[in-house]
Amino acid sequence: MCDSKSTIVAGKAILGIEFGSTRIKAVLIDGDNKPIAQGSHTWENQLVDGLWTYSLDAIWSGLQDCYSDLRKDVMAQYGVEIETLAGIGISAMMHGYMAFDANDNLLVPFRTWRNTNTGKAAAELSKLFVYNIPLRWSISHLYECILENDAHVKDIKFQTTLAGYIHWALTGRKVLGVGDASGMMPVDPKTGRYDAKMVEKFDKLIEPKGYGWKLMDIFPEVLSAGEDAGLLTAEGAAKLDVSGHLKPGVPFCPPEGDAGTGMVATNSVRQRTGNVSAGTSSFSMIVLEKELSKPYEVIDMVTTPDGSLVAMVHCNNCTSEINSWVGLFKEFEQLMGRPVDMNELYTKLFSTAADGDPDCGGIISYNYVSGEPVAGLMDGRPLLVRSATDKFSLSNFMRSQLYASVAVLKLGNDILFKEENVKVDRISGHGGLFKSTTTGQKVLAAALDSPISVMETAGEGGAWGVALLASYLVNNDGKLSLAEFLDKKVFAGNSGVEIAPDPADVAGFNEYIKSYKACLSVEQAAVAAKK
């Protein structure tokens, strides 16, 4: 505690802040890159005029409350105020649409990654670029506005992401980390900048509109991890810390997206490594040695914070249906007059799943609380499919629920590992699926037929990840690559607890996925029947 206090008083602590979909989190780290204090703020998006958004007031009041909560934690633990810092990093949900005019006014409400109104734009751009452009990418949002002849487009002077906006307001710099930038539009891994040929194609496409701007006129400058991204201004300090204690002049690392900070937090930025985040939704990030042979609609191509190409499989559904079933078992326990410990309930149900048959006894579960584009479904219906001869037991039922939580992830990654022959040395798992027991870890290992590591530090999340990127900026002196810095200065050989795939489980999951794919027509019929 004494060392942490002196670190804060000396202004050597480093701050990371991440804007997640339901929580804004701040993490303060010391010179050894270990968390010493934290703060948070809970928030929620709003559906306004058919589009998901967060208001500017919600963004700033949330940031200020989060920082205030951090100050309280520092005061409670160490009895001191934060006067200055060694570095700051900002991270946020990727993609979306924030467009500003010449007077820095937001032209339309912030449109988050969650919006799916960009179908026509994404399809046309994918064809034009010969590259998969997802609905949620910033370029899709921009082009959809152009297709709809929105009046505000002609007035755009700057377009960025949520992380880029916060960073700009605090430093005055219109920049973006390469990982976050790769979710605005494709990045060329050779240059670490937006793909020049695609930029040229886009500019030519919209030239007849006569807007008076080209794409590079309005997009943020791209920076790689370790590059100078500006200093906290006096105005920025006042915006962040309403108490007035924080002084300007603090250096910032490039703002990043949550996918990139997740890679950093799991030490998964080196080629042939990857990570899987499994919570309400899930996604895998595999760092590639080379480009894929062709574009795939179910695989997004982004980059690490230092510019390596990453294949991302994003799934809308993961643990929500499991949580619903556990809630049902809780109700049963209460009906029987027994007290319920939710941690114990999850642990026991996950543990019994480990005793189920490798193929779940024939039971198939679909966890589609919402649509699942990887499976070709724009809407979802949670569903259990079984025949009268299947082995219907609690262990097989729970195992099928766990299989369902990563089944769609397997569909996308099978393309990488089986069709593209991508090689990976280590995959790290983090998120709610891995908290109760090792069962979730074993299930993912079987699904991907790959060893899965889980580290205790992965629970610190993206706020810690972006704090590490700020540490890389101020404590590296250009000597180490990002991967080397994480290996030597942060994780120091700690690769977590690794579980290798059990051959019987791999074979069982492969049988399960055959039935899963064959029965997708049942899920499609359920969606069509219940509107």
Side-chain angles (χ1 to χ4, degrees):
M1 182 177 292
C2 181
D3 287 343
S4 297
K5 179 179 179 178
S6 61
T7 296
I8 296 167
V9 171
K12 294 182 179 179
I14 293 173
L15 173 63
I17 299 175
E18 180 159 278
F19 287 72
S21 57
T22 59
R23 187 168 68 139
I24 305 170
K25 184 178 179 181
V27 170
L28 202 65
I29 65 174
D30 62 15
D32 293 323
N33 299 303
K34 292 181 171 53
I36 55 175
Q38 66 177 26
S40 66
H41 170 83
T42 300
W43 69 340
E44 188 58 73
N45 55 190
Q46 304 295 320
L47 188 63
V48 179
D49 296 329
L51 294 171
W52 292 103
T53 187
Y54 299 87
S55 69
L56 291 184
D57 285 344
I59 290 169
W60 288 109
S61 63
L63 175 62
Q64 290 161 358
D65 184 61
C66 177
Y67 186 82
S68 176
D69 194 46
L70 173 72
R71 285 181 52 239
K72 290 176 184 176
D73 188 38
V74 168
M75 182 60 70
Q77 288 195 72
Y78 311 112
V80 296
E81 277 285 359
I82 303 171
E83 300 289 346
T84 188
L85 295 160
I88 299 177
I90 300 294
S91 172
M93 300 168 280
M94 292 175 68
H95 320 297
Y97 185 70
M98 298 193 83
F100 299 85
D101 66 14
N103 297 315
D104 299 339
N105 295 312
L106 189 66
L107 288 164
V108 292
F110 169 38
R111 298 175 183 180
T112 78
W113 62 272
R114 191 177 181 186
N115 291 292
T116 57
N117 63 309
T118 57
K120 185 176 181 182
E124 289 190 15
L125 291 176
S126 296
K127 184 177 180 180
L128 177 70
F129 295 156
V130 194
Y131 199 98
N132 179 40
I133 305 296
L135 300 177
R136 61 187 184 278
W137 281 25
S138 303
I139 193 71
S140 295
H141 285 278
L142 173 61
Y143 190 51
E144 189 66 34
C145 291
I146 291 171
L147 290 176
E148 294 176 5
N149 293 309
D150 285 359
H152 78 271
V153 176
K154 67 180 185 306
D155 298 320
I156 298 175
K157 293 297 180 182
F158 181 49
Q159 182 190 339
T160 190
T161 64
L162 178 57
Y165 165 63
I166 298 295
H167 182 95
W168 171 40
L170 297 180
T171 68
R173 292 282 301 276
K174 295 179 178 180
V175 299
L176 207 57
V178 63
D180 205 8
S182 69
M184 288 194 73
M185 80 164 290
V187 163
D188 183 347
K190 296 182 181 68
T191 65
R193 301 294 183 260
Y194 304 113
D195 189 289
K197 292 181 179 178
M198 296 185 196
V199 169
E200 184 179 355
K201 285 183 178 181
F202 185 85
D203 286 338
K204 187 175 180 180
L205 177 67
I206 68 167
E207 189 176 5
K209 294 286 187 178
Y211 289 129
W213 53 258
K214 291 186 176 182
L215 198 59
M216 291 302 93
D217 296 332
I218 66 170
F219 266 27
E221 178 188 356
V222 182
L223 299 177
S224 187
E227 292 192 82
D228 170 36
L231 303 173
L232 181 67
T233 63
E235 295 81 3
K239 274 181 172 288
L240 180 58
D241 180 11
V242 294
S243 75
H245 285 90
L246 184 62
K247 296 179 175 62
V250 182
F252 273 68
C253 67
E256 265 299 347
D258 51 357
T261 55
M263 286 186 272
V264 172
T266 54
N267 194 18
S268 304
V269 301
R270 190 184 294 277
Q271 292 179 357
R272 293 175 66 109
T273 66
N275 78 90
V276 170
S277 173
T280 304
S281 61
S282 68
F283 58 84
S284 63
M285 313 283 293
I286 306 297
V287 189
L288 304 176
E289 296 177 279
K290 60 181 181 179
E291 295 188 43
L292 300 181
S293 64
K294 62 180 181 180
Y296 294 91
E297 189 175 350
V298 299
I299 298 174
D300 301 349
M301 303 305 297
V302 292
T303 78
T304 63
D306 58 347
S308 290
L309 201 60
V310 177
M312 178 180 186
V313 177
H314 184 278
C315 310
N316 286 353
N317 302 280
C318 186
T319 59
S320 292
E321 182 65 355
I322 293 175
N323 295 337
S324 295
W325 280 106
V326 174
L328 191 70
F329 291 124
K330 173 189 175 184
E331 287 186 39
F332 173 76
E333 288 289 290
Q334 291 172 330
L335 182 66
M336 299 301 290
R338 291 190 283 260
V340 181
D341 181 317
M342 291 304 291
N343 287 331
E344 182 184 18
L345 186 57
Y346 271 101
T347 298
K348 287 188 173 181
L349 288 171
F350 274 44
S351 295
T352 196
D355 298 327
D357 294 318
D359 66 348
C360 304
I363 300 168
I364 303 296
S365 296
Y366 295 96
N367 65 338
Y368 302 166
V369 175
S370 63
E372 194 55 81
V374 175
L377 290 160
M378 293 301 106
D379 202 356
R381 299 287 179 269
L383 193 65
L384 183 74
V385 181
R386 70 184 183 95
S387 70
T389 57
D390 289 337
K391 299 177 184 178
F392 191 54
S393 65
L394 180 60
S395 59
N396 279 336
F397 168 77
M398 281 305 301
R399 194 178 184 98
S400 76
Q401 291 296 325
L402 288 170
Y403 275 24
S405 69
V406 296
V408 178
L409 204 63
K410 177 177 175 59
L411 295 178
N413 280 278
D414 275 355
I415 295 173
L416 295 175
F417 299 140
K418 295 180 179 180
E419 296 183 30
E420 290 286 339
N421 201 30
V422 168
K423 303 299 182 185
V424 62
D425 298 323
R426 177 176 57 83
I427 298 177
S428 299
H430 57 112
L433 186 67
F434 310 109
K435 286 184 178 179
S436 298
T437 68
T438 59
T439 308
Q441 195 174 350
K442 291 176 180 176
V443 165
L444 183 62
L448 301 186
D449 193 11
S450 172
I452 303 296
S453 299
V454 172
M455 294 181 284
E456 290 182 14
T457 50
E460 299 294 345
W464 181 54
V466 78
L468 295 179
L469 286 173
S471 177
Y472 179 63
L473 169 72
V474 300
N475 293 324
N476 184 47
D477 298 327
K479 297 176 182 177
L480 302 174
S481 69
L482 179 59
E484 291 170 337
F485 178 82
L486 295 176
D487 282 342
K488 296 179 180 180
K489 302 294 186 181
V490 180
F491 295 94
N494 175 22
S495 58
V497 177
E498 182 179 275
I499 291 181
D502 183 309
D505 289 342
V506 173
F509 207 118
N510 285 336
E511 285 301 311
Y512 176 90
I513 209 70
K514 287 179 185 177
S515 299
Y516 185 95
K517 290 192 283 189
C519 290
L520 273 171
S521 58
V522 180
E523 173 70 20
Q524 291 164 348
V527 170
K530 188 178 180 182
K531 293 295 186 182

